[in-house]
Amino acid sequence: MITLFGQTYAWNAPEMLLLGGAALVLLGFLILILRAAARASSTAEPLLREVSWLASRVQTLNDGQERLAGGLHHVSETQAVSQTAMLQVMEQRLAEVQRQMTEALHGTSTRTARSLGELQQRLETIDKAQANIEKLSGNVLSLQDILSNKQTRGAFGEIQLNDIVQKALPKDAYTMQAKLSNDRRADCLIHLPNPPGPIVIDAKFPLEAYEALRRADTPRLAQEAAQQMRAAVRSHIRAIAERYIVEGETADGALMFLPSEAVYAELHANFPDLVREGFAAKVWIVSPTTCMATLNTMRAVLKDARMREQAGAIRKELSLLYTDVERLGARVENLDRHFGQAAKDIEEIKISSEKATKRARRLDNFDFEELAPDAAPKVIGPTAAE
């Protein structure tokens, strides 16, 4: 580094190269002058002229060097101002970029937090659903345990049948666990009028054979399970016909209630012969859906029978109502006649009142002082016009 005229320059700067070139040129001129002075000492005047010329050239070079230094100073100041402006612009742009990045990071963090919250809610919902599924699985296993036992399966069917009957019929139209004359106890006895008479609904169903049929994974096992299913249902139909169809006490048919729609569909889809045997034995197979429809039909029958039972009482009440209406009409006529007589009496009273008022007004208009002593008194009495 070197300092000239208050400015600091590097050795390899362009300005320093120019100054070095100028100094070399000046040194060359000086050497030429000295050589010329040594060779031509006799010619002083030309030498003086040449020295004067060289001095002027040196002065010119010095002036150029000063102008060059001023230009370099101006360039340095301009470069410093440009650098300052560039730094300010860069700082502004960096601040703007930092602000945008901060806003973007804040928005991203907000969206991330919201997404995490929603994810947490969904995970909680999934956990609840998982708990419900586990609970449902436990309930299904419990239901399977219940249905695997014949006694508990019968109780389950009775509960479902009781619920359906309570929704479809009035309380006095059925009896649960009704005992028949043959010492058999029916799950439900519907008190229908004759005909057809009380009808029994049995709530037990053969589930073991159906489960074996559903678990069969080979044709041979499926065939064996189908045979077991056919035998179990056929035996159950015969048992219902023998136990719950009592001549002179119950209707000539009974209902076999299946709490499972799947068993009902399986029978009608793959075992139509069992359904026909049930029809032949007057044992009708019903599911929860068809049982509700059947009970609604029975409700209509009960309603019609009760209306027919009350038909005599209804006719009697209608006769009494007709007598009361006739009596009411006669009394209305009497009242109307009384009202007519009262109206006539009121009209006559009004006429008499008007006549009395007129007579009182005429009496008030008489002047007794103007009558002569010998004048005959006027006769006051009704006239022909009155």
Side-chain angles (χ1 to χ4, degrees):
M1 302 296 290
I2 186 169
T3 304
L4 293 176
F5 303 104
Q7 299 290 328
T8 302
Y9 305 97
W11 289 102
N12 55 357
E15 296 84 356
M16 294 304 300
L17 293 177
L18 292 175
L19 290 176
L24 289 175
V25 172
L26 180 61
L27 181 60
F29 279 125
L30 290 176
I31 292 173
L32 290 175
I33 291 171
L34 291 176
R35 287 181 178 179
R39 287 195 303 266
S41 58
S42 59
T43 58
E45 185 177 354
L47 182 60
L48 290 175
R49 287 196 300 271
E50 187 175 357
V51 170
S52 176
W53 180 79
L54 288 174
S56 62
R57 295 288 295 177
V58 169
Q59 183 64 33
T60 302
L61 290 174
N62 189 16
D63 295 338
Q65 184 178 3
E66 290 181 356
R67 287 194 298 273
L68 180 60
L72 291 174
H73 180 70
H74 179 70
V75 170
S76 177
E77 289 181 351
T78 303
Q79 186 176 5
V81 172
S82 300
Q83 290 179 353
T84 303
M86 182 64 70
L87 289 175
Q88 291 178 355
V89 172
M90 291 297 293
E91 288 177 355
Q92 291 177 357
R93 291 184 178 180
L94 287 175
E96 182 67 20
V97 170
Q98 184 177 4
R99 183 183 63 79
Q100 293 178 358
M101 290 183 64
T102 302
E103 292 178 355
L105 290 175
H106 179 70
T108 304
S109 62
T110 303
R111 290 191 296 270
T112 303
R114 187 183 301 111
S115 300
L116 289 176
E118 294 176 354
L119 180 60
Q120 181 68 24
Q121 294 178 358
R122 292 179 181 177
L123 289 175
E124 291 178 356
T125 304
I126 292 173
D127 291 339
K128 292 180 180 179
Q130 182 68 25
N132 292 331
I133 291 173
E134 293 177 356
K135 184 178 179 181
L136 181 60
S137 300
N139 293 335
V140 169
L141 292 176
S142 301
L143 180 60
Q144 185 175 1
D145 295 338
I146 290 173
L147 298 180
S148 62
N149 185 279
K150 187 174 183 179
Q151 184 176 1
T152 55
R153 184 174 68 245
F156 173 74
E158 291 173 8
I159 293 173
Q160 190 173 4
L161 177 62
N162 187 15
D163 184 56
I164 294 174
V165 172
Q166 283 182 355
K167 292 179 180 178
L169 299 176
K171 292 183 178 180
D172 59 346
Y174 64 92
T175 301
M176 303 300 296
Q177 296 300 318
K179 188 175 181 180
L180 304 179
S181 60
N182 57 2
D183 292 334
R184 297 293 184 179
R185 190 173 295 276
D187 294 329
C188 181
L189 180 65
I190 308 298
H191 304 298
L192 292 178
N194 289 316
I199 187 169
V200 175
I201 303 178
D202 183 76
K204 295 177 287 292
F205 62 99
L207 183 65
E208 293 84 355
Y210 172 75
E211 291 292 338
L213 181 63
R214 192 179 62 177
R215 290 193 303 266
D217 53 358
T218 62
R220 184 179 62 83
L221 294 177
Q223 185 178 2
E224 293 178 356
Q227 292 178 356
Q228 295 176 5
M229 181 78 173
R230 184 173 285 104
V233 175
R234 184 178 291 116
S235 175
H236 193 53
I237 290 174
R238 286 198 301 267
I240 292 176
E242 294 173 357
R243 297 175 183 177
Y244 304 126
I245 300 178
V246 182
E247 186 177 357
E249 182 179 358
T250 65
D252 58 351
L255 298 178
M256 183 173 70
F257 176 72
L258 298 179
S260 175
E261 295 283 353
V263 179
Y264 181 81
E266 181 69 24
L267 288 177
H268 282 76
N270 300 320
F271 299 93
D273 54 332
L274 294 177
V275 179
R276 288 194 297 269
E277 290 181 9
F279 286 159
K282 296 184 179 180
V283 176
W284 298 284
I285 302 173
V286 293
S287 67
T289 303
T290 57
C291 183
M292 178 62 75
T294 304
L295 291 176
N296 285 328
T297 304
M298 293 181 181
R299 181 187 181 92
V301 172
L302 289 171
K303 183 178 180 181
D304 183 67
R306 292 183 179 181
M307 288 183 65
R308 281 189 282 106
E309 290 176 358
Q310 300 297 326
I314 293 173
R315 285 194 296 270
K316 182 179 179 181
E317 292 296 330
L318 288 175
S319 177
L320 295 176
L321 178 62
Y322 180 74
T323 302
D324 292 337
V325 170
E326 287 184 344
R327 187 181 296 113
L328 178 62
R331 292 177 180 177
V332 168
E333 290 179 358
N334 293 332
L335 182 61
D336 183 64
R337 186 168 57 255
H338 292 314
F339 281 157
Q341 185 64 36
K344 183 178 180 181
D345 294 340
I346 291 173
E347 186 65 25
E348 292 177 353
I349 292 172
K350 288 174 63 178
I351 293 173
S352 300
S353 175
E354 290 177 356
K355 289 181 179 181
T357 302
K358 290 179 180 179
R359 295 181 187 280
R361 188 177 298 114
R362 283 198 298 270
L363 290 173
D364 185 60
N365 291 330
F366 286 156
D367 190 0
F368 295 99
E369 295 179 356
E370 295 178 358
L371 293 176
D374 55 353
K378 293 181 180 180
V379 177
I380 301 173
T383 61
E386 294 174 351

